[in-house]
Amino acid sequence: MKIEVVPRFRIDGKYYTADQLTEEKIREIVTEKIDLAMAGLKYERKGTA
């Protein structure tokens, strides 16, 4: 038995796989989550890479 990890994103209560979203939308979601995590650690974004 092979274990497969399938990342899903929840938008407005519906789940989507990475194949169902545009690269831009995925980048926006991931950036937002990273910013929230870093803010929780008291870090601030000074610029974009």
Side-chain angles (χ1 to χ4, degrees):
M1 177 181 234
K2 183 179 177 182
I3 297 174
E4 183 178 348
V5 176
V6 180
R8 292 192 219 172
F9 299 91
R10 187 173 67 177
I11 303 171
D12 297 328
K14 294 182 181 179
Y15 288 92
Y16 299 90
T17 62
D19 296 337
Q20 295 172 308
L21 299 172
T22 64
E23 183 178 333
E24 184 179 294
K25 185 67 175 173
I26 294 171
R27 188 181 314 272
E28 178 185 317
I29 292 167
V30 170
T31 301
E32 180 183 323
K33 295 300 179 185
I34 290 173
D35 285 345
L36 284 172
M38 296 304 281
L41 296 171
K42 307 293 184 202
Y43 284 91
E44 285 185 25
R45 180 186 294 269
K46 290 186 178 181
T48 57

